[in-house]
Amino acid sequence: MPIMIQISELSLSDEEKRPIFQNLSFRLNRGEWASIGGGPDPHKRLLLDLLCGHIRPDRGQILVDERNILRVGSEKLRLLKRRLGLVIRSERCYKRRSLSHYIQFKLRALDVSPDDLEKRARYALDLVGLSEQADQVPEDLGPVDLKLFQLALALSHDPVLLLLDEPLTEIGKDREKERFLDVLEQIHLRKRLTTLMTLGSKDRVPDRFPITRHELLGGVITRKGDLKASTNTPAATSAVHASEGAYE
């Protein structure tokens, strides 16, 4: 099975040289949907930053879409980032512009043809079930619809890898969290995306979703096992190991 993410023997320390990750290894195959939970460990976000090339480790190797992001030049890294879709937790303040406006603004920055902007924005919003809210502003959306809008933004340029930073944490009610996961599942299967999301300490994912679940505790990632097998999702494809690493 082709590999989308391969982290090998990675070590990272904080500014005071205290180890965060030591000899960390992680593998995610193309087309797989996986989660990383494990309590209030703040370093789950660091994993996403490493995968996006926002920070560099002290040592180790990071392959994303068959490219070693630690060895490519700045231009190739920029182009690689265009193949990623990122949904992060933030306190971003939106101006009173429509959902469609924000997506078109992003696509315009990515040099999408002006003739295609509105069509692609509508398609992205339709993917997440917000086509009828295209002319609304983000401030008027409830928590789950706002998170779905952020998902539409992340998907609008057709990424091959989707990264989500604790997407359920900012959604209050369990039924709304399941609604978000239902939409994410349909998109994952429809577009054959590789999807990696982190979970907050109180987030729970029902067994019916075809997710391979892992935990990050004390700087070590371990696999908890498949929550559900799916004929549309590669089964038992993520081998995750961390050898003799600990964080204190």
Side-chain angles (χ1 to χ4, degrees), residues 5-6 13 15 31-32 43 73 84 106 118 135 154 177 189 195 203 205 216 233:
I5 295 173
Q6 178 79 62
S13 301
E15 293 180 354
E32 188 174 5
H43 302 136
L84 311 181
K106 171 190 169 180
E118 183 175 358
D135 296 325
K177 292 181 180 182
L189 298 177
T195 305
D203 293 335
V205 178
L216 172 62
T233 303

Side-chain angles (χ1 to χ4, degrees), residues 8-21:
S8 304
E9 299 180 343
L10 182 141
S11 294
L12 178 69
S13 301
D14 63 17
E15 293 180 354
E16 298 181 359
K17 304 301 181 181
R18 294 175 300 188
I20 298 173
F21 303 126

Side-chain angles (χ1 to χ4, degrees), residues 159-206:
V160 297
L161 173 61
L162 180 63
L163 303 172
L164 304 100
D165 178 29
E166 297 189 5
L168 304 181
T169 301
E170 296 173 321
I171 303 173
K173 298 178 180 179
D174 287 345
R175 66 174 180 272
E176 292 184 337
K177 292 181 180 182
E178 289 202 39
R179 177 187 162 202
F180 179 85
L181 289 170
D182 281 330
V183 171
L184 188 56
E185 178 182 25
Q186 292 305 310
I187 293 170
H188 171 76
L189 298 177
R190 177 178 176 179
K191 299 182 74 65
R192 301 281 181 167
L193 273 176
T194 307
T195 305
L196 177 64
M197 68 179 188
T198 61
L199 299 175
S201 59
K202 297 182 180 179
D203 293 335
R204 299 292 180 268
V205 178

Side-chain angles (χ1 to χ4, degrees), residues 52-63:
C52 292
H54 296 160
I55 58 176
R56 294 180 65 89
D58 301 328
R59 58 183 291 271
Q61 178 174 271
I62 304 174
L63 271 64

Side-chain angles (χ1 to χ4, degrees), residues 62-85:
I62 304 174
L63 271 64
V64 176
D65 196 21
E66 301 181 347
R67 295 168 178 82
N68 188 333
I69 66 172
L70 302 178
R71 294 184 179 178
V72 299
S74 58
E75 176 63 16
K76 288 186 177 180
L77 181 60
R78 184 184 69 84
L79 294 175
L80 176 60
K81 288 180 178 180
R82 288 193 173 195
R83 298 175 63 79
L84 311 181

Side-chain angles (χ1 to χ4, degrees), residues 33-232:
W33 181 8
S35 68
I36 298 179
D41 194 323
H43 302 136
K44 289 174 287 188
R45 172 60 186 271
L46 283 179
L47 279 176
L48 301 187
D49 288 337
L50 285 163
L51 291 171
C52 292
H54 296 160
I55 58 176
R56 294 180 65 89
D58 301 328
R59 58 183 291 271
Q61 178 174 271
I62 304 174
L63 271 64
V64 176
D65 196 21
E66 301 181 347
R67 295 168 178 82
N68 188 333
I69 66 172
L70 302 178
R71 294 184 179 178
V72 299
S74 58
E75 176 63 16
K76 288 186 177 180
L77 181 60
R78 184 184 69 84
L79 294 175
L80 176 60
K81 288 180 178 180
R82 288 193 173 195
R83 298 175 63 79
L84 311 181
L86 185 61
V87 178
I88 63 173
R89 299 183 62 195
S90 68
E91 301 296 327
R92 178 178 177 181
C93 295
Y94 294 96
K95 297 180 180 179
R96 294 194 67 81
R97 304 289 181 86
S98 71
L99 308 188
S100 180
H101 168 87
Y102 278 107
I103 295 177
Q104 291 186 51
F105 181 84
K106 171 190 169 180
L107 294 174
R108 190 179 297 112
L110 295 175
D111 299 323
V112 172
S113 169
D115 295 336
D116 294 334
L117 293 176
E118 183 175 358
K119 179 178 66 175
R120 291 186 60 170
R122 293 278 179 176
Y123 175 73
L125 290 168
D126 184 62
L127 273 178
V128 302
L130 294 180
S131 57
E132 295 184 1
Q133 288 100 309
D135 296 325
Q136 287 188 236
V137 296
E139 292 89 338
D140 293 341
L141 300 178
V144 64
D145 283 344
L146 182 59
K147 189 57 64 175
L148 287 171
F149 164 60
Q150 293 171 351
L151 179 60
L153 269 174
L155 294 170
S156 60
H157 63 292
D158 292 325
V160 297
L161 173 61
L162 180 63
L163 303 172
L164 304 100
D165 178 29
E166 297 189 5
L168 304 181
T169 301
E170 296 173 321
I171 303 173
K173 298 178 180 179
D174 287 345
R175 66 174 180 272
E176 292 184 337
K177 292 181 180 182
E178 289 202 39
R179 177 187 162 202
F180 179 85
L181 289 170
D182 281 330
V183 171
L184 188 56
E185 178 182 25
Q186 292 305 310
I187 293 170
H188 171 76
L189 298 177
R190 177 178 176 179
K191 299 182 74 65
R192 301 281 181 167
L193 273 176
T194 307
T195 305
L196 177 64
M197 68 179 188
T198 61
L199 299 175
S201 59
K202 297 182 180 179
D203 293 335
R204 299 292 180 268
V205 178
D207 291 352
R208 65 186 178 88
F209 292 100
I211 303 174
T212 306
R213 185 165 59 178
H214 313 87
E215 286 192 346
L216 172 62
L217 293 171
V220 176
I221 296 179
T222 56
R223 174 171 170 168
K224 294 186 68 176
D226 294 336
L227 293 182
K228 178 183 177 183
S230 171
T231 56
N232 295 304

